[in-house]
Amino acid sequence: MRLESLLSVFCLLIFSGIGYSQELGLAVRGNEENGYFVQILNESEELIDSPGEFSLNLSNLDRSVRSSLENWKAASYKETEKGVVLERAHYLKDFDANLYLEVEYERVSATLIRKTFRISQNSIPNFYYSVDFTNVPSLSPREYVSFEHENFKGGMVHELYPSAGFITKENDVVGFLTDPGYKNNFTRTTRRRFSGRGGGMVGMRILPDAKLLSIASPEEQDNGKHYIKYTFGEALNLDHGESWELKVPDSYSKTGNVDLKQGDSLIEMSFPKGDKAGMEFMSGMEPQKIYSISFSAKGEMPLALKLYEYKDGIEGSELEHGIKYIDGFPLEKNSWQEFKASVMLSYTEAEDVKVFIGRTNGLRGSIDIKNLKIVEHKPYRLDYNKLPMGETVEKVTYVFIKPWDGQKDFKISSQVKLAEGMGFEGTEIEKMLYANFQMMTWVISVDDEKPFNVPNLNYSPDMYNRDSFWSVISTYNKDLNTSIWNQWTATQTPEGAIGTIITPYMGSVEAKDNEATIEWLIWGLLNKRRFGVELPKEKIQLAADYILNEFDENRDGKCASHFSMSQVDVMEYHPKTERMAANQGMFAVALKTIQALGLEIEKDYVMLAEQEYQNFYDEERKHLLFDTDYPDLISVTDLVPEFLSLWIFEKPMLTDEMVQNHLDQIPALNKVKNSSHPEIGTTAPIILRLTDDEKAYTYMDENYQPFGDFGANNYQDNSRDGYYYNGGSWLRAEYTAYAVGSWHGWKPAKKRMENRLWAEKNLNPNWPYSKEFIPTKWNSYDEWWPSTRGLSWNVFVLMANEFVGDRKPEMDPDFKKENQ
């Protein structure tokens, strides 16, 4: 390329507009001698600068040889129809290897640019590598913003959704996004289960991608250094590097009813029966740092450990990244058990971290602990992404610009722009659900690059079968569908059951008579139809035999199970129950799936199971009976099998009258004036009790609920009316029920669908994204459970919208890719 003599006074402007507006352009800077790089413009004004396109760290597989490229610039560039490509080849003397690097900028739209980094080598079986993309504002920004914080002060950004931006003096926000982890090879896992499935979650000793997204620290900003950076392929090893102990208090405060005795390193606690009790203290842990907490313990009951944000004398949220849900760390009475876990403190406005150690289970007994330590780490960093010989690896990031219109708008834009950058088409809420699903799908670990889908960060690191089923079948990505389906295939027991859960770093032996095996068969059928996948015949037959033998050993067409086959799974039944409509419906769908897979099964038997599903319709009450022992309960989940039958097999199992009458009795709650249809409510409870009074419904209580001890303990005193499975509104189940209603001619279906999508985005203005459930009875947003934020499986709305004719498969970029 021979433009270097001109580039000092001339830059190549691509797609710049006329007049002031938010419109991104690209300018190639540099020269042949010093290398070329791209500067991003807003119109003709410099917007994002950088000393280079990226910085790259490399090592061989025994990590004995290391090399790096700092602030890489290209040897040449070329214009494309949509942007520009930068290229350079390197000979790496330290490895005796050739390395080929390319960066492509593409203008997706006037306000959105995609940046693709490509790297390949043909010299060494494998490299480890990590890469930094540092985006420097051309002018000092007014402030930084992250997905969860309007004024982010700086440092690690480890939040619900990995996006961040800066606000310019002109009041524009410039946002940065990343492709999902299964494409860009990162994971957001920071913890694992205990061994033996006991106790909760503990922070890991090797933390991958802790600094996936970071913003210049306050100290750096004070020194005039500004940036937003993505780092891919970096892990932190807490057992290597530097560390030092924090001083823990000489004495501790009591909380609750506990007898507390302290020696030099021994702390003895004795509890009568009662509420949460134990010891607590201020730890001195600070944000943007990584710690370990460790001690030895013995006792007559499980130990609870909690870490809370603390500010202005008030205990705040429980910390997320590391220790979580530790209410039952198992102890032995006469031998010391060792506890050690990492704690990653990302951004928080708290003044300190309060530590609680004690009991939360109400039991009488004692707990002793000794050698309590809190250690601060400066961990050893290592590169873990792999670059195999002969393969090209990509990383994709995005930049967008728009007028700053507050935090809610930034959250929405971060989701919408990612979907658009990935080529997805649809309504705004469809784009948001698609992007949320993408961000909940990453790689398993530093040593396993297979894709992994979790429900949300609260459930991380676990992948649940039913969550990944509803999530992944909503995309036409062949590799994603087949890879995760194959992972579930590997959990099959000798009896044919498919596991319920896959959890990284630890094992799970949970395989039971719930809907997991049925969903795995359905998923296999979809993979065969959509992608022409050849299914493993022996495993398919084994699963079919398991379903037939486990759920209907008498071959009378009636489904019997120890567990619910709907998502309402808080009860276990001994002996097996035949009381549940959803179970019968899912069993009928399973038989239809077995039939569609070409396995031997009698048609009359399939029809018998369908008839038994119909028999759950009560002619007098005019609805399907969620549980025949509790005939006043009604649930939208009982229509999910009907949706699957219509969607997969294009045949109903229920009549129009049954479906219409059922839906007529499910109330629409949370009525809002500015909703799509303000005359009706925006959410419906997943399950509630019908009554004969004017209100026509009530929530469950300790006396009338089908969930045994769980219901008696959680639904007493009306304290959880409208929450979780006592009337919470779950989008996927509710929306598919309305889609069933639409097929069966239920007139309110369209309005109810539109209002429910409105609610997901707007009902809580602080949470404009997918949620596990929306409460149907609440007083303030502070009562909504933070653990529900960002649920993945609501993306199934896409398939429901296809089913009712509101979208087409071609709107999914992977469908177009598979069918080109």
Side-chain angles (χ1 to χ4, degrees), residues 63 66 130 206 233-237 380-384 446:
R63 306 185 193 278
R66 300 174 184 274
S130 66
I206 295 179
E234 178 188 77
L236 304 177
N237 189 332
Y380 174 78
R381 67 163 305 280
L382 55 96
D383 310 315
Y384 83 87
V446 296

Side-chain angles (χ1 to χ4, degrees), residues 166-323:
F166 63 84
I167 302 175
T168 69
K169 299 293 195 301
E170 291 77 23
N171 205 42
D172 293 328
V173 61
V174 182
F176 298 89
L177 308 169
T178 172
D179 255 7
Y182 72 92
K183 289 179 175 287
N184 273 357
N185 202 7
F186 63 79
T187 174
R188 307 195 69 210
T189 297
T190 60
R191 58 191 184 227
R192 64 165 178 84
R193 286 182 177 266
F194 281 113
S195 57
R197 296 183 61 78
M201 306 285 188
V202 294
M204 301 185 304
R205 307 310 299 164
I206 295 179
L207 288 173
D209 305 299
K211 298 179 181 179
L212 172 69
L213 178 59
S214 59
I215 292 174
S217 69
E219 295 76 17
E220 288 174 318
Q221 293 178 47
D222 289 343
N223 291 321
K225 189 174 183 179
H226 290 272
Y227 62 83
I228 294 176
K229 178 168 64 175
Y230 281 107
T231 299
F232 300 104
E234 178 188 77
L236 304 177
N237 189 332
L238 275 62
D239 291 327
H240 295 275
E242 301 177 36
S243 63
W244 50 93
E245 285 189 37
L246 300 188
K247 180 175 174 53
V248 296
D250 296 325
S251 61
Y252 306 95
S253 300
K254 294 196 303 183
T255 179
N257 193 358
V258 57
D259 181 20
L260 179 64
K261 297 179 181 179
Q262 299 175 228
D264 289 339
S265 67
L266 178 65
I267 305 164
E268 300 173 287
M269 292 180 282
S270 180
F271 306 92
K273 279 191 173 183
D275 297 329
K276 174 182 174 182
M279 54 175 273
E280 59 185 22
F281 62 94
M282 297 302 170
S283 67
M285 289 190 276
E286 299 176 352
Q288 300 292 333
K289 294 182 179 180
I290 297 171
Y291 300 89
S292 288
I293 183 168
S294 62
F295 51 81
S296 301
K298 66 179 181 178
E300 301 168 311
M301 66 181 70
L303 175 145
L305 172 63
K306 306 286 186 182
L307 305 182
Y308 299 97
E309 296 181 356
Y310 194 81
K311 184 178 181 181
D312 298 330
I314 299 174
E315 181 183 290
S317 301
E318 187 177 350
L319 295 179
E320 293 281 340
H321 304 306
I323 292 169

